[in-house]
Amino acid sequence: MTLRFGTDGVRGVANVELTPELVLALGRAAGRVLARLDAPFLIGRDTRLSGPLLEAALSAGLAAEGVAVRLLGVVPTPGVAWLSAADAVPAAMISASHNPFPDNGVKFFAVGGRKLTDEVEERLEAELDRLVAGGGKGERHTGAAVGTVAGSSGAEPYADALVASLEGRRLDGLHVVVDCANGAAHELAAEVLARVGAKVDVLFDHPDGTNINEGCGSTHPEPLQEAVVERRADVGLAFDGDADRVLAVDHRGAVVDGDQIIAVCALDRRQRGLLVGDTVAVTVMTNMGFRQAMEEAGIAVHETPVGDRYVLEALEERGWVLGGEQSGHVIFRDLATTGDGILTALQLLDAVARSGRSLAELSSVMTRLPQVLRNVRVADRAGLEGAEPFWAEVRSVQAELGERGRVLVRPSGTEPLVRVMVEALTNEQAEQAVARLCEAVATALGTANP
């Protein structure tokens, strides 16, 4: 069994799918494809119990290829990317982001803090396959040529850069509740917010290796919603396990998702003359309400496939500076090379503070259309494109929804699933349309056992 890259590195159940043996081989492959023998290779991790195990395996693989490894310990994914860019070295993050704690993963950054291109990922996969199959052994490094493994903290310079992103502005007077998801931001998020003057209450900041994302964080914002209202705070912030995404909560306890955060920041940047091209880049999953709000504001919307890597590619190709996903991955390309939850929180709170208005008022610029998403487990995912009876049903549903609704259907890249999403004026309309399409795709492709 070998590993395959998804939209954000490789993931699996730690010690079952993502075994130390495979990760050691992955480290050797990375040493051959990504590493520089004249520079260290950075490794960070989140708070999962399996993190040190996989950190040791990845480090051993790199060192076996003569690479010097620098262990950063527990640090947010964007912190690893920032250090990779600052030091012009390759890096890896051991994390499964928002997944449950038994899962783990490895995501790589090329020199400069950029996610890997498809071509580089293919080279990594090919080298890994050769190593697992017993080939591609190459010359063994011995003696002084063996790589070293050493630890050092990277949090302080990254925290300084986050604070500097406000250019001296402060958040004095804002009361913020922060849900750290018992993850990689469990210390850093509150520290940075306090440094710029916010009053900070912290939730879920005691990781024990097994409680990351458990009933908390961006995938479970309910405790944060309650806390914001009970404590009469101005804003709540919910990070995911590796802190590369964030969702917000307004003073009423309502969730402000990634679409709304991008809308607020886009309008703020345009007002200050900082929205290059008056354009934002978002994925096909972005709510129609966002598109409508941007159209009314005279801001163009560029659409990409699902995945923040595709958003970043669009930003870099066109020179734009702002984009992201509904999930809370937001990229400020002029400030970072990847999505950064703490940076996004700072930019959002800065917009709130300068406006003198509440987050609820600012985020009301867009009205979210009801959006329903269902996954259908199918027997023949590959047959979706040619399933004409199903696509006829899609056209029928879209015609009924008209311009005030839409249908999005896409196969999963890694599982036997077809994802069906419908937006409509009412939740009832969306639910009924999704039910019709789920039945149609199951009929066309057959159902698979879970």
Side-chain angles (χ1 to χ4, degrees), residues 73-98:
V74 174
V75 62
T77 291
V80 176
W82 185 88
L83 288 163
S84 171
D87 296 343
V89 296
M93 177 69 181
I94 298 171
S95 174
S97 188
H98 58 281

Side-chain angles (χ1 to χ4, degrees), residues 259-282 288-303 315 320-323 365:
D259 290 345
Q260 293 167 295
I261 291 171
I262 296 168
V264 171
C265 292
L267 291 172
D268 176 64
R269 284 190 157 227
R270 188 184 187 212
Q271 184 180 25
R272 294 189 287 149
L274 300 177
L275 188 66
V276 175
D278 285 342
T279 301
V280 291
V282 295
M288 276 187 68
F290 175 87
R291 294 171 171 81
Q292 292 168 357
M294 294 299 98
E295 182 179 356
E296 291 175 7
I299 295 174
V301 176
H302 177 83
E303 196 171 88
L315 297 178
W320 299 323
V321 295
L322 179 62
V365 66

Side-chain angles (χ1 to χ4, degrees), residues 189-209:
E191 174 197 324
V192 169
L193 289 168
R195 282 178 60 180
V196 293
K199 175 186 176 183
V200 186
D201 294 345
V202 188
L203 307 176
F204 302 107
D205 61 335
H206 291 86
D208 63 9

Side-chain angles (χ1 to χ4, degrees), residues 412-426:
S412 167
T414 57
E415 300 176 89
L417 300 174
V418 172
R419 308 191 195 281
V420 179
M421 188 273 285
V422 173
E423 288 175 344
L425 284 176
T426 69

Side-chain angles (χ1 to χ4, degrees), residues 69-311:
V69 178
R70 178 182 162 201
L71 302 179
L72 302 175
V74 174
V75 62
T77 291
V80 176
W82 185 88
L83 288 163
S84 171
D87 296 343
V89 296
M93 177 69 181
I94 298 171
S95 174
S97 188
H98 58 281
N99 285 27
F101 101 89
D103 291 350
N104 216 325
V106 181
K107 61 181 83 175
F108 289 103
F109 294 98
V111 172
R114 297 304 199 272
K115 290 191 175 182
L116 306 187
T117 64
D118 290 340
E119 185 269 334
V120 173
E121 286 186 348
E122 289 169 4
R123 287 170 54 201
L124 261 178
E125 288 178 351
E127 190 63 42
L128 178 63
D129 287 346
R130 283 192 290 271
L131 287 162
V132 171
K137 292 181 179 179
E139 181 181 349
R140 288 283 184 175
H141 294 265
T142 60
V146 172
T148 58
V149 180
S152 65
S153 173
E156 187 174 343
Y158 168 56
D160 291 342
L162 290 169
V163 171
S165 74
L166 293 188
E167 300 178 317
R169 296 184 297 275
R170 294 181 57 79
L171 304 178
D172 298 291
L174 277 182
H175 181 188
V176 183
V177 183
V178 179
D179 176 350
C180 296
N182 291 314
H186 72 280
E187 294 179 341
L188 196 63
E191 174 197 324
V192 169
L193 289 168
R195 282 178 60 180
V196 293
K199 175 186 176 183
V200 186
D201 294 345
V202 188
L203 307 176
F204 302 107
D205 61 335
H206 291 86
D208 63 9
T210 68
N211 60 2
I212 187 172
N213 301 317
E214 185 179 11
C216 58
S218 61
T219 51
H220 301 282
E222 298 83 8
L224 176 64
Q225 291 173 273
E226 294 178 8
V228 169
V229 174
E230 288 175 0
R231 304 181 190 200
R232 298 184 179 181
D234 298 303
V235 179
L237 300 168
F239 299 99
D240 67 339
D242 67 335
D244 64 353
R245 68 173 72 176
V246 67
L247 296 182
V249 171
D250 67 27
H251 72 281
R252 306 166 304 179
V255 171
V256 177
D257 68 11
D259 290 345
Q260 293 167 295
I261 291 171
I262 296 168
V264 171
C265 292
L267 291 172
D268 176 64
R269 284 190 157 227
R270 188 184 187 212
Q271 184 180 25
R272 294 189 287 149
L274 300 177
L275 188 66
V276 175
D278 285 342
T279 301
V280 291
V282 295
T283 76
V284 294
M285 293 300 293
T286 295
N287 195 277
M288 276 187 68
F290 175 87
R291 294 171 171 81
Q292 292 168 357
M294 294 299 98
E295 182 179 356
E296 291 175 7
I299 295 174
V301 176
H302 177 83
E303 196 171 88
T304 77
V306 174
D308 63 315
R309 63 181 293 184
Y310 301 111
V311 173

